[in-house]
Amino acid sequence: MLRHVVLFKFKDGTSPEKIKEVEEAFASLPGKIKEIKKFEWGTNVSIENRSEGFTHCFVVSFANEEDRKIYLDHPDHKAFGNVLGGSLDKVLVVDYWNVH
Amino acid sequence: MLRHVVLFKFKDGTSPEKIKEVEEAFASLPGKIKEIKKFEWGTNVSIENRSEGFTHCFVVSFANEEDRKIYLDHPDHKAFGNVLGGSLDKVLVVDYWNVH
């Protein structure tokens, strides 16, 4: 599986309602984009104080690079970008092959 | 499951041999610490240029917070810290509950 790890840090002052909207919009993508083979997410509960302000972690899994490409270009993925609407302070993305 | 996501960015000039040593030392922990219920890792293959220089992603899964505590305090985990030996430029840690 090709894991797509996405971290979000919202801008200070982002309302809980907006954050919930973003969470729900992201979590709706697996129902819309069949190339998503697995999806999970959660909010940071680390006790190590090394999260660099990131509060949300989403992990989207694909079978291959082609499916990742379809996801990235998908209209529903782009519509999700519009939901974000400038609410993010930082985004970090790391993908890796779970082959080890 | 409690997911423990760890990102590494090595210092410029870190030798491939040192990086391999760190990878192998981290990957040896599941064989030494029984509280690790699942382990996977890989190197960044994102095409989005949003990795902030992080090249390695490790995901360690625990059943609960008590097991995470045992892991963090475990002598073999601390010995792994010694293997790192100042080779890291940045570390980022985000934990989340995979309950969604």
Side-chain angles (χ1 to χ4, degrees), chain B residues 73-85:
Chain B
D73 295 339
H74 198 286
D76 285 313
H77 180 248
K78 292 185 182 300
F80 168 64
N82 293 334
V83 172
L84 293 172

Side-chain angles (χ1 to χ4, degrees), chain A residues 16-63:
Chain A
E17 292 76 18
K18 182 65 188 179
I19 292 173
K20 190 161 191 291
E21 182 190 2
V22 168
E23 293 168 349
E24 292 178 350
F26 207 152
S28 77
L29 294 182
K32 299 173 178 173
I33 304 176
K34 69 177 173 47
E35 284 76 13
I36 298 175
K37 292 295 184 286
K38 189 163 182 277
F39 177 86
E40 61 179 62
W41 73 278
T43 54
N44 183 42
V45 293
S46 172
I47 56 176
E48 295 180 79
N49 199 27
R50 287 176 159 174
S51 66
E52 304 287 338
F54 290 101
T55 56
H56 286 63
C57 182
F58 302 84
V59 181
V60 188
S61 297
F62 305 103

Side-chain angles (χ1 to χ4, degrees), chain A residues 2-5 7 38 40-48 50-52 54 57 59 68 72 91-98 100, chain B residues 2-5 7 38 40-48 50-52 54 57 59 68 72 91-98 100:
Chain A
L2 179 55
R3 306 285 196 206
H4 175 65
V5 180
L7 303 180
K38 189 163 182 277
E40 61 179 62
W41 73 278
T43 54
N44 183 42
V45 293
S46 172
I47 56 176
E48 295 180 79
R50 287 176 159 174
S51 66
E52 304 287 338
F54 290 101
C57 182
V59 181
R68 177 180 63 184
L72 291 173
V91 181
L92 194 153
V93 179
V94 171
D95 295 1
Y96 67 93
W97 282 102
N98 170 30
H100 300 282
Chain B
L2 179 54
R3 307 286 195 204
H4 175 65
V5 180
L7 303 180
K38 190 163 180 277
E40 61 178 62
W41 73 278
T43 54
N44 182 43
V45 293
S46 172
I47 56 176
E48 296 181 80
R50 287 176 158 174
S51 65
E52 304 286 338
F54 290 101
C57 182
V59 181
R68 177 180 63 183
L72 291 173
V91 181
L92 194 155
V93 179
V94 171
D95 294 1
Y96 67 93
W97 281 102
N98 170 30
H100 299 283

Side-chain angles (χ1 to χ4, degrees), chain B residues 19-72:
Chain B
I19 292 173
K20 190 162 193 291
E21 182 189 2
V22 168
E23 292 168 349
E24 292 178 350
F26 207 152
S28 77
L29 294 181
K32 298 173 178 173
I33 305 176
K34 69 176 173 49
E35 285 76 13
I36 298 175
K37 292 295 184 286
K38 190 163 180 277
F39 178 86
E40 61 178 62
W41 73 278
T43 54
N44 182 43
V45 293
S46 172
I47 56 176
E48 296 181 80
N49 198 29
R50 287 176 158 174
S51 65
E52 304 286 338
F54 290 101
T55 56
H56 287 63
C57 182
F58 302 84
V59 181
V60 189
S61 296
F62 305 103
N64 52 54
E65 292 174 356
E66 291 69 25
D67 284 0
R68 177 180 63 183
K69 181 77 164 60
I70 291 169
Y71 165 80
L72 291 173

Side-chain angles (χ1 to χ4, degrees), chain A residues 64-78:
Chain A
N64 53 53
E65 292 174 358
E66 290 70 25
D67 284 0
R68 177 180 63 184
K69 181 79 165 60
I70 291 169
Y71 166 79
L72 291 173
D73 295 338
H74 199 285
D76 285 314
H77 180 249
K78 292 186 184 299

